[in-house]
Amino acid sequence: MKENFEDMIIEPPEEIVKRAHVKDWEKEIEKGKDIEEYWKKKAKDFKWFKKWDMVLDDSNKPFYKWFVNGKTNITYNAVDRWIKTGKRNKVAIIYTSEKEKERKLTYYELYTEVNKMANALKRLGVKKGDVVCLYLPMCPELVISMLACAKIGAIHTVVFSGLSVGALEERIRETNAKVVITADATFRRGRIIKLKDNVDEAVAKCPSVETIVVVNHANVPVKISELTGREFFYDKLIEGEDSECPPEKMDAEDPLFILYTSGSTGKPKGVLHTVGGYMVGVSSTLKMVFDIHDDDLYFCTADIGWITGHSYIVYGPLLLGTTTIIYEGAPDYPDPAIWWRIIEKYGVTKFYTAPTALRHLRRFGDRHPKKYNLSTLKILGTVGEPIDPETWLWYYKVIGNERCPIMDTWWQTETGMHMISPLPTAPLKPGSVTKPLPGIDADIVNKNGDPVKPGEKGYVVIKKPWPAMMRTIYKDEKRYREYWETIPGYYLATDVGKKDKDSYFWILGRSDDVINISGHRIGTAEVESALISHPDVAEAAVIGKPDPIKGNVIKAFLVLKNGKKLDVNLMEKIKEHVKHEIGPIAVIGEMEQVDKLPKTRSGKVMRRILRAKELGEELGDTSTLED
Ligand code: WT7
C-alpha cells in the first residue's frame, strides 16, 4: 500500500522555511557527515564547568565516550542558567489533566522547587551515583524529582505509573534504589489508580529501599508510617529546605538515568544514559526537528515514564528554555476533544503524539477537532510506530489544516534522541521517516551489513556513534555488546525497513520478538513468563496480531495444567494476573488453549509458526520444527 505514497511529495510551507533554524535540509545533512565537527558545534550551546578534551573517544568500541573529561550539569543547563536571563519569569511547565486542573511553574519557581527537593534528597542520604526510583503519574513533582536527582548526581529510574507491582519490584531490585518517590494515586478516564499500594507491595521485598516519599496528588488517603522515619509526604519533606543548591559537577560520561525497556528475553533491559552526550543530542534534535523558538508552546502527549517523555517533555524543552505541557489522562476523556481543547486554550504551536492516538481519535470524526481553533499549530510530530499514510494525511489535513509539516521521528529508548526524521524544511512523503538526521549515519542493510537495493527490505542500522546513545545495558554488558556485534561495527536497531528510489526511509516494524502495542514495546517473553507464573498455566506462547487502532494486540496460546479448561472465568483470572505482574498495557486480546506448542528440536517455542498460522501466511522454513 505504501508504494502509492512514494511519489507523493509534500513541500514545506513558505512561512516555516522563512523562520527555520535549518533552512537547507540537504545541506545540513551534508554538513553532518563530519560527525565530530557537527556535534562539537552543538555542544557549544551549553554551560560546561570544564571544557572537554576530546569530542569522541572510540578507542574502546563499542563503549564510546563523548565530550571526554567535560564537566557539566544537565539541571544547571535546563533550569539554573535561565533564571539569569529574560526567561526567569517565563512559564516552564504547564500541568493540566483530564479534569482540566491546571498548575503552572515559571523557570524561577521550578528552580526553587528543584533545589528544595535536591537538598531534601541529600538530607535523606542520597549521594552522587545512588539510584532513586520515581513511580509517579504525570505531575510537576515528577519533573522536579528528575531534575533534583540530576542536580546532585543521583541516577533516576522512572517506572511508568501504568506498570504494576511485578515490574516495579523487578526494577527497584535490580537498581538497588535507595529512595522511591511515588504518589497516592493517579487517575485515568475518571478512575483512581492507586500507586502507593503498589509501592508498599513491591518494597516489602526490596531491602535496598530506605525511604519512600509520597506526593499527595489525587487526595486519596494513604497509610504513611512517618514514625519509622522511612516514609514522608513530599510537601512535608521539602518544607523548610533551602531554595538554593549548587549543581554537582558531573563528568560528561557520568550516568544520568536508567530506563527499562523490553527486549526479546523475559528480562527488561536497563538502558543507561549519561549526562553530556544526552544533553547535547536531545536538545539539539528537538531544536532542529520542531524548530523551537522562544515564543513556542510545546505539547507532547507521551508519558514521562517512557523515553519520549524523558527526552522531549522534560530535558529537551527545558534545555531550550521552552514552555512544555504535562498532560495527565487519556486522549478521549472526558471527550475525544480534550487535546484539541488544550491546543486552543494555550495556543500550542508544536504538537507531538503517537500514531495509535491519532488512529483512535480519528474514529470519533472530524467534528471534534473542527470545534476548536487549531490555527496556532505550526509543526506536528509523531513517534512510536509506523504511521499509515491515511492517518498521516488525516493528521496533516484535519489537525494541521495543510499548513503544518509532520515530523515522523524514528528513534528508540536506546538511541535517546531522534535519529531518522525530517526537518521542517524537508519535502515529505506520507508514511516515510524521510532521512537520517544531520550528524547521524543510518542505513538499511542485509545481515552481512551490506546496503540493500532500493525497495528491498533490510535491517535498520546506525553506522557511527551519536552523542545520546545509550552507554550500556545496566548490569548486562553482554546485551549491550549484542547491539554492536550482531552486524559487527554497526548498531543494530532490530527494526526492519527499506529505502525508496529517493533514498527516503520507510520503517516496517520490529525484527525481534518485541510487540509494539499502541507505541509501547512489550517483549513476548515477558508476557509469557507472567502467564507461566499463573498456577494453571503450564506453557505459553504469545504473538502480536495486527490491530487497526493499537497497531498490534497480544494473542496468547496456552497449555494448561491438570486437564483445566480455558473458560471465561479462567481467562479473566489469567488476564488479571498478567495485569498485576506487568501492568494494564499488557492487555491480552485473545487466548487460545492448545495441547502443545510448536517447538524447535532444542525446545525453543517457534512463535513464527503460530503467527503464520494465525494470520494465514505461509509457514516458511519448518525444518527445525520438532514434529
Ligand atoms: C521502537 C522503539 C522512541 C520513542 C518511542 C518508542 C518503533 C519508534 C517510530 C517511527 C516507526 C517507530 C520502532 C523502534 N518506532 N518510532 N517513527 N516509525 N516505528 O520507544 O519504546 O524504545 O520503541 O519503536 O520499532 O524500534 P521504544
Side-chain angles (χ1 to χ4, degrees):
M1 190 212 310
K2 276 182 176 164
E3 272 72 14
N4 314 335
F5 292 91
E6 275 176 20
D7 298 319
M8 183 187 260
I9 305 254
I10 293 174
E11 295 291 344
E14 215 172 292
E15 7 15 315
I16 295 282
V17 181
K18 245 193 267 158
R19 214 181 173 210
H21 291 299
V22 177
K23 295 265 184 295
D24 190 327
W25 178 51
E26 301 276 3
K27 226 186 191 162
E28 189 76 8
I29 290 176
E30 210 41 54
K31 247 172 59 188
K33 294 243 155 93
D34 184 346
I35 59 163
E36 286 187 46
E37 194 50 36
Y38 192 76
W39 294 113
K40 183 172 107 185
K41 285 217 178 90
K42 300 285 180 197
K44 292 187 176 146
D45 289 349
F46 305 91
K47 164 83 180 175
W48 295 83
F49 304 128
K50 178 183 167 288
K51 210 187 149 199
W52 59 89
D53 303 330
M54 198 199 272
V55 178
L56 171 66
D57 176 0
D58 60 1
S59 60
N60 182 26
K61 292 173 187 162
F63 299 95
Y64 298 95
K65 289 184 180 150
W66 283 88
F67 309 112
V68 182
N69 293 329
K71 304 274 183 238
T72 186
N73 185 291
I74 196 166
T75 301
Y76 180 91
N77 277 289
V79 185
D80 303 26
R81 72 172 156 149
W82 301 130
I83 65 158
K84 295 183 201 102
T85 70
K87 290 189 201 278
R88 183 185 188 277
N89 303 318
K90 178 176 173 171
V91 174
I93 296 171
I94 301 175
Y95 161 83
T96 183
S97 70
E98 62 183 31
K99 294 181 178 163
E100 291 174 61
K101 239 172 72 176
E102 179 191 272
R103 195 175 148 200
K104 289 182 179 173
L105 285 170
T106 64
Y107 273 94
Y108 188 77
E109 287 167 325
L110 183 61
Y111 171 77
T112 60
E113 292 286 324
V114 167
N115 288 341
K116 285 184 175 192
M117 188 57 184
N119 286 325
L121 287 173
K122 278 195 199 165
R123 189 161 50 81
L124 293 175
V126 177
K127 293 190 191 63
K128 183 176 169 186
D130 285 343
V131 176
V132 175
C133 172
L134 309 178
Y135 184 58
L136 283 162
M138 293 290 283
C139 63
E141 288 83 0
L142 173 53
V143 181
I144 293 165
S145 301
M146 290 166 80
L147 294 165
C149 287
K151 188 144 200 189
I152 64 171
I155 303 166
H156 58 71
T157 184
V158 179
V159 178
F160 172 51
S161 61
L163 292 177
S164 285
V165 182
L168 177 62
E169 185 195 321
E170 195 175 13
R171 286 153 177 72
I172 296 175
R173 191 189 292 279
E174 189 171 281
T175 56
N176 278 316
K178 249 185 162 167
V179 175
V180 179
I181 306 176
T182 189
D184 49 356
T186 177
F187 37 84
R188 198 170 167 89
R189 297 201 175 90
R191 219 161 39 86
I192 288 285
I193 302 155
K194 292 191 178 171
L195 298 177
K196 173 63 165 49
D197 291 359
N198 289 352
V199 171
D200 287 343
E201 204 179 326
V203 164
K205 290 173 246 160
C206 298
S208 67
V209 177
E210 290 168 10
T211 313
I212 300 171
V213 181
V214 185
V215 177
N216 178 11
H217 177 68
N219 263 321
V220 172
V222 290
K223 271 210 317 279
I224 289 254
S225 46
E226 272 171 86
L227 287 176
T228 64
R230 196 181 179 215
E231 300 187 15
F232 300 94
F233 273 115
Y234 182 98
D235 287 344
K236 270 225 179 120
L237 178 75
I238 61 165
E239 209 178 71
E241 285 295 347
D242 194 344
S243 60
E244 298 286 338
C245 173
E248 185 73 32
K249 291 193 171 58
M250 302 294 286
D251 191 273
E253 285 294 322
D254 277 334
L256 173 63
F257 65 82
I258 300 165
L259 185 61
Y260 282 83
T261 188
S262 293
S264 48
T265 76
K267 207 167 158 286
K269 307 173 178 187
V271 172
L272 184 114
H273 283 286
T274 54
V275 175
Y278 180 81
M279 173 175 84
V280 173
V282 160
S283 78
S284 50
T285 47
L286 181 66
K287 185 170 171 182
M288 274 196 274
V289 172
F290 283 88
D291 196 40
I292 299 294
H293 294 268
D294 200 31
D295 57 357
D296 268 317
L297 204 296
Y298 173 85
F299 179 20
C300 168
T301 67
D303 194 287
I304 295 172
W306 305 112
I307 193 69
T308 306
H310 277 59
S311 300
Y312 298 115
I313 296 179
V314 180
Y315 287 112
L318 298 177
L319 284 163
L320 296 173
T322 312
T323 306
T324 179
I325 293 185
I326 303 171
Y327 170 72
E328 179 183 23
D332 57 0
Y333 185 89
D335 60 71
I338 175 81
W339 286 353
W340 319 134
R341 204 149 55 241
I342 290 172
I343 293 173
E344 178 182 275
K345 177 168 178 188
Y346 297 108
V348 170
T349 55
K350 310 289 161 74
F351 180 66
Y352 192 19
T353 192
T356 185
L358 295 170
R359 290 193 297 264
H360 180 66
L361 292 174
R362 185 184 165 197
R363 276 200 320 184
F364 295 98
D366 299 357
R367 68 194 164 89
H368 293 287
K370 290 253 155 82
K371 262 193 292 199
Y372 294 92
N373 177 4
L374 307 180
S375 67
T376 52
L377 288 170
K378 291 194 177 93
I379 292 168
L380 304 173
T382 149
V383 61
E385 56 187 315
I387 182 164
D388 52 288
E390 284 74 18
T391 305
W392 195 101
L393 286 166
W394 180 79
Y395 196 21
Y396 185 69
K397 287 179 185 154
V398 179
I399 307 304
N401 201 16
E402 299 183 44
R403 292 178 301 102
C404 307
I406 297 177
M407 302 299 106
D408 182 354
T409 59
W410 178 90
W411 57 297
Q412 307 177 298
T413 307
E414 294 90 333
T415 71
M417 65 188 223
H418 298 149
M419 300 296 284
I420 312 178
S421 164
L423 296 185
T425 46
L428 303 173
K429 300 187 187 189
S432 167
V433 291
T434 73
K435 296 186 182 187
L437 283 173
I440 300 300
D441 189 358
D443 206 350
I444 309 284
V445 301
N446 65 20
K447 60 181 193 306
N448 303 320
D450 308 316
V452 298
K453 290 198 202 85
E456 266 176 32
K457 280 192 205 175
Y459 299 104
V460 181
V461 293
I462 319 294
K463 296 180 164 176
K464 287 189 193 134
W466 63 100
M469 59 184 278
M470 68 165 161
R471 298 303 197 263
T472 193
I473 298 291
Y474 190 61
K475 292 187 176 162
D476 201 347
E477 210 178 280
K478 191 169 153 273
R479 272 178 115 183
Y480 172 73
R481 283 181 179 278
E482 279 166 17
Y483 284 89
W484 290 92
E485 291 172 358
T486 310
I487 298 177
Y490 292 170
Y491 169 87
L492 183 69
T494 46
D495 269 12
V496 179
K498 60 175 190 175
K499 282 200 282 188
D500 67 17
K501 56 183 188 313
D502 303 318
S503 295
Y504 272 49
F505 286 58
W506 300 74
I507 307 293
L508 302 168
R510 300 282 304 189
S511 67
D512 57 0
D513 279 322
V514 168
I515 311 176
N516 194 325
I517 301 171
S518 303
H520 297 313
R521 268 161 75 167
I522 299 196
T524 47
E526 262 170 87
V527 182
E528 287 163 3
S529 71
L531 284 164
I532 294 165
S533 68
H534 186 278
D536 293 327
V537 179
E539 287 183 81
V542 311
I543 61 163
K545 230 184 133 169
D547 178 87
I549 304 294
K550 294 182 191 302
N552 290 284
V553 291
I554 300 173
K555 164 137 194 193
F557 297 87
L558 302 174
V559 180
L560 298 181
K561 286 182 189 163
N562 324 321
K564 287 262 178 185
K565 280 270 161 297
L566 189 64
D567 54 17
V568 182
N569 191 11
L570 183 56
M571 267 194 214
E572 272 318 303
K573 279 194 184 144
I574 295 174
K575 279 187 190 173
E576 272 312 307
H577 175 77
V578 173
K579 258 197 201 166
H580 182 264
E581 287 301 303
I582 303 177
I585 50 168
V587 184
I588 315 274
E590 268 180 59
M591 274 189 219
E592 186 178 325
Q593 183 170 7
V594 292
D595 295 332
K596 58 179 179 179
L597 296 169
K599 286 185 188 155
T600 61
R601 285 184 198 112
S602 57
K604 269 181 84 178
V605 176
M606 293 183 80
R607 300 189 190 89
R608 180 168 63 76
I609 302 279
L610 290 169
R611 198 179 304 121
K613 273 193 87 174
E614 184 69 28
L615 307 179
E617 290 166 355
E618 276 179 36
L619 291 186
D621 182 9
T622 54
S623 59
T624 54
L625 197 62
E626 188 182 35
D627 64 338

